[in-house]
Amino acid sequence: MRTTAAAPEAETIVRLSDEVRNPSSSYVMDVGITVEQPGERPVIAAFEVSIKGKDKSLVRFTRPPSDKGKLLLLVKNDMWYYVPTVSRPIRISPLQRLLGQVANADIARTNYSEDYRATLVGTEELDGRTCYVLELTAIDDQVGYHRIRHWVAVGTYQPLRSDFYAVSSVLLKTARFGDFATVHGRMRPRELVVRDATKRDHFSVIRYSNIRLVTLADTLFRPESLRSLP
């Protein structure tokens, strides 16, 4: 690894990388997850994710049919889980496992620049591309991961890889961004492959599609509103 000369500030790199993943300050997208484990049939689930600003997201479960009506709400670092058969939303952790190697925060939270302090370590070649390598340290204990090592392509600011660590500095999982395509005027990743750090043949594929730029009301992101959502 070599140090970077005249590179942008670390915070700027992370912010620009976030802007590649987030096409607008208010949008809705479809998210599909496929979990692959040796000797088992793939597990498939689907969600509709609504995002407003840097700290609000609502996840609607759409597949399998038995999960329809379930909701996840994330506002800043507070998360609620709602099931139609329960009278009120339940407070849960963003780090709680959703499916396979995917935690709740992995589909609900998309902004590293808001949640982490960034340090530029240097540059490194990854898949034939020169990348900024950053160390991201959680600002708040309630953030999904204590520390992330993040690779961002020089020039395009496309995120290419993230390694997620626990407070104990144990590597939990790795994620690779891929299937870049033009979406709302920029080349953006449409796929994220998340692998277990200890069982490399256990992995989950997250796919993003049908991104719609829309106006979302603040009332959508209130715990008391979850029971009345269609």
Side-chain angles (χ1 to χ4, degrees), residues 96-223:
Q96 186 172 319
R97 182 168 294 196
L98 174 66
L99 189 68
Q101 287 68 46
V102 181
N104 294 327
D106 293 333
I107 65 169
R109 176 74 81 197
T110 58
N111 282 281
Y112 289 168
S113 57
E114 288 295 299
D115 296 333
Y116 294 87
R117 294 186 181 89
T119 301
L120 179 60
V121 177
T123 61
E124 186 174 287
E125 295 297 313
L126 180 66
D127 298 334
R129 303 178 67 179
T130 303
C131 295
Y132 298 117
V133 184
L134 302 113
E135 288 285 341
L136 309 180
T137 305
I139 294 172
D140 191 294
D141 290 341
Q142 301 302 313
V143 169
Y145 302 96
H146 176 69
R147 181 168 64 90
I148 302 173
R149 176 162 280 217
H150 191 42
W151 285 256
V152 175
V154 172
T156 64
Y157 297 99
Q158 293 169 349
L160 297 183
R161 172 178 168 178
S162 293
D163 290 355
F164 302 91
Y165 292 84
V167 175
S168 61
S169 294
V170 172
L171 178 63
L172 299 171
K173 57 191 177 186
T174 65
R176 298 292 294 264
F177 298 84
D179 191 23
F180 285 83
T182 302
V183 178
H184 296 292
R186 295 193 65 175
M187 291 290 288
R188 306 180 194 274
R190 298 185 299 177
E191 181 179 276
L192 184 65
V193 179
V194 185
R195 292 187 181 273
D196 189 288
T198 57
K199 301 176 181 177
R200 297 290 297 171
D201 51 356
H202 290 61
F203 64 94
S204 300
V205 180
I206 306 174
R207 291 197 59 83
Y208 312 98
S209 62
N210 193 24
I211 297 176
R212 295 91 76 192
L213 307 186
V214 298
T215 299
L216 298 168
D218 285 335
T219 53
L220 187 67
F221 303 94
R222 295 175 181 169

Side-chain angles (χ1 to χ4, degrees), residues 18-30:
D18 280 349
E19 290 176 3
V20 171
R21 291 191 295 154
N22 299 290
S24 171
S25 62
S26 181
Y27 64 98
V28 179
M29 64 180 171
D30 296 333

Side-chain angles (χ1 to χ4, degrees), residues 10-59:
E11 291 79 5
T12 300
I13 297 170
V14 177
R15 176 179 57 79
L16 292 173
S17 179
D18 280 349
E19 290 176 3
V20 171
R21 291 191 295 154
N22 299 290
S24 171
S25 62
S26 181
Y27 64 98
V28 179
M29 64 180 171
D30 296 333
V31 177
I33 299 177
T34 302
V35 179
E36 300 278 359
Q37 296 186 168
E40 298 185 15
R41 297 182 63 180
V43 176
I44 299 173
F47 311 85
E48 182 187 79
V49 182
S50 301
I51 293 176
K52 183 171 185 177
K54 297 180 178 180
D55 61 359
K56 299 182 182 71
S57 58
L58 175 70
V59 179

Side-chain angles (χ1 to χ4, degrees), residues 71-75 78-82 89-92 223 226:
L71 301 165
L72 286 176
L73 174 65
L74 183 65
V75 179
D78 296 320
M79 177 168 271
W80 294 265
Y81 174 53
Y82 175 71
I90 304 166
R91 289 287 294 269
I92 63 172
L226 296 180

